[in-house]
Structure formats: structure tokens, C-alpha cells
Amino acid sequence: MTENIDLKIDNDLTQHDASNMLGDKTIEDVIKKEAKEEQELSSRFSISRTLGGVIIARFAQKQMKLMLIVCALLISHISCRYMYQKKLVELDRLEAKIVEAHNKAIVCSSILTEKSRESNVLLRLHETGDSTLKASSEPPYLIKVNSEEL
């Protein structure tokens, strides 16, 4: 029974205090007043608000489009860099192949020059018995032709 009385007294006190505090004002007026006070407080710069992230969060909300553009540019820059590095690796690999092919061509050219010398050709022909060719003992001579006769 005493609990009922205590609850009733508490309810009456809270209703009485609320009506005294509000007076003639409506709930909307009180909410607007509190919102104004909060805005006034939010315009002040303080370390606790900065560390709490309120100022940074508001700045981030205002600059969201810019941050998205910067992120997109960073991603495209990084992807272009990786593609460029991939192309450089491919270019180095192809240059190494070119150097290897050039060296092989020089070796083949020197082998061909060695095998196609007159003395080596005659030597191989005599070893196989395919021909009776011999090296000339007389030096080559020049045939002179007048240009008028042509």
C-alpha cells in the first residue's frame, strides 16, 4: 500500500514539475530552444569536440564529393602504375630476347663466313671427292672495255 502511495506522489510531482517548467510553452518550443543552444555550442571550437570527431565528421560530410573524386583518382593512379610496371617487365623481357637473337645471328653469320671461304669449300670438295676443282695459280686479271664499244 505504501508503494502505491509513493508511486502516486512521484507521478504527481513529475507532472507538477513538468507543467511548471514548461509553463505556457509547448514541447515544440522547448525542442527548438534546445536545438538552438546545441547549434550555438557546436559553433565553438574545442579540443574535446575535435578529438571526439564532431568537427572532422562535419567536415567530411561537407567534402564527401571531393573525397570520392580523390579516392577515384588515387585508385586509377595506382592501377596505371601497376600496368606501367607490367609493361616495363614485358619490355625488358623482349629486349633480352632481341639481344639473344642478335647474338645468335652474329654467331651464325661468322660460322657461315668460315664455311664459305674458298679454301674451306675446296678442302671439303676434295675430301668428299665430288669435284676436281683446284685453286687458280694465276692472279685474276682485269678486262678493259671501252665505253664506246658498248
Side-chain angles (χ1 to χ4, degrees):
M1 179 91 170
T2 56
E3 291 177 15
N4 279 342
I5 294 171
D6 289 338
L7 287 174
K8 187 175 183 184
I9 292 171
D10 286 341
N11 285 340
D12 289 341
L13 286 175
T14 55
Q15 287 175 357
H16 187 295
D17 289 340
S19 64
N20 283 343
M21 283 178 27
L22 291 176
D24 296 344
K25 299 177 186 175
T26 63
I27 293 176
E28 292 176 3
D29 294 335
V30 173
I31 292 172
K32 286 179 183 178
K33 183 180 177 185
E34 286 179 14
K36 258 187 193 178
E37 289 173 1
E38 188 177 315
Q39 283 179 350
E40 289 173 3
L41 290 175
S42 67
S43 63
R44 296 182 199 150
F45 179 78
S46 68
I47 294 176
S48 64
R49 291 187 62 233
T50 303
L51 293 177
V54 175
I55 293 176
I56 296 172
R58 285 193 180 157
F59 175 76
Q61 286 174 349
K62 289 178 184 177
Q63 304 297 328
M64 186 60 68
K65 290 180 183 175
L66 177 65
M67 286 193 274
L68 288 174
I69 291 171
V70 168
C71 288
L73 289 174
L74 283 173
I75 290 170
S76 69
H77 175 71
I78 291 169
S79 65
C80 287
R81 181 175 174 225
Y82 284 132
M83 277 195 315
Y84 176 73
Q85 285 179 340
K86 202 174 187 182
K87 298 277 184 188
L88 282 178
V89 168
E90 180 72 14
L91 185 66
D92 288 342
R93 186 182 64 81
L94 291 174
E95 283 179 352
K97 271 183 145 180
I98 287 174
V99 168
E100 183 181 328
H102 179 68
N103 291 340
K104 189 174 181 179
I106 289 174
V107 168
C108 290
S109 174
S110 68
I111 290 172
L112 179 64
T113 303
E114 178 70 29
K115 289 185 177 182
S116 63
R117 284 191 182 151
E118 184 180 353
S119 60
N120 287 339
V121 170
L122 289 175
L123 182 64
R124 278 189 286 145
L125 286 175
H126 285 295
E127 287 175 354
T128 57
D130 287 343
S131 176
T132 57
L133 290 177
K134 295 183 181 176
S136 173
S137 58
E138 297 177 11
Y141 57 92
L142 212 51
I143 303 174
K144 296 185 180 179
V145 178
N146 291 333
S147 60
E148 295 173 359
E149 294 177 6
L150 295 174

